[in-house]
Amino acid sequence: QVQLVESGGGLVQPGGSLRLSCAASGITFSTSTYAMSWYRQAPGKERELVAAITSAATNYADSVKGRFTISRDNAKNTVYLQMNSLRPEDTAVYYCYAKGARFPYAYYWGQGTQVTVSS
């Protein structure tokens, strides 16, 4: 069974940093085979795209540009989200998402990891 397992969430103070990890099992990915993304969802709000990485580019939500960095290590089958200068409004459940670039264009969601930034 395919699984994406997030880790690294927790409670931090404003201005602090966290690095989230997403470890994939049941699949192996490379930059060319899967596009990887991080989404987040706060209570009462819609899920939003935070960052994405493909073979060609990285993209970020305006709210996190300059503070967050997405990266991937294909050898470890893991994608990361480095989160710096955290703000209370970054508080959310963060989800890892993988989308295949080729047929059958499969997609997978992780279970989520809680990030809480206290003021």
Side-chain angles (χ1 to χ4, degrees):
Q1 183 176 345
V2 174
Q3 286 188 309
L4 302 177
V5 180
E6 300 96 333
S7 62
L11 175 65
V12 298
Q13 294 192 335
S17 297
L18 286 173
R19 189 178 74 161
L20 305 184
S21 299
C22 172
S25 62
I27 59 170
T28 56
F29 61 77
S30 66
T31 302
S32 63
T33 57
Y34 285 90
M36 303 297 297
S37 303
W38 287 94
Y39 286 75
R40 67 185 181 188
Q41 187 167 27
K45 298 184 178 180
E46 65 183 18
R47 190 171 299 187
E48 64 173 344
L49 177 67
V50 177
I53 183 168
T54 68
S55 61
T58 56
N59 295 102
Y60 300 91
D62 288 341
S63 60
V64 307
K65 286 181 179 177
R67 300 188 297 121
F68 291 9
T69 303
I70 187 171
S71 62
R72 63 197 296 167
D73 187 333
N74 291 332
K76 296 181 179 179
N77 227 34
T78 300
V79 64
Y80 305 95
L81 185 68
Q82 179 66 47
M83 309 165 68
N84 298 326
S85 302
L86 284 163
R87 305 166 180 169
E89 54 263 40
D90 295 319
T91 296
V93 177
Y94 284 71
Y95 297 91
C96 182
Y97 176 76
K99 183 180 179 182
R102 296 174 176 84
F103 182 86
Y105 305 102
Y107 59 92
Y108 308 97
W109 288 97
Q111 85 290 344
T113 185
Q114 177 72 47
V115 172
T116 302
V117 185
S118 64
S119 59

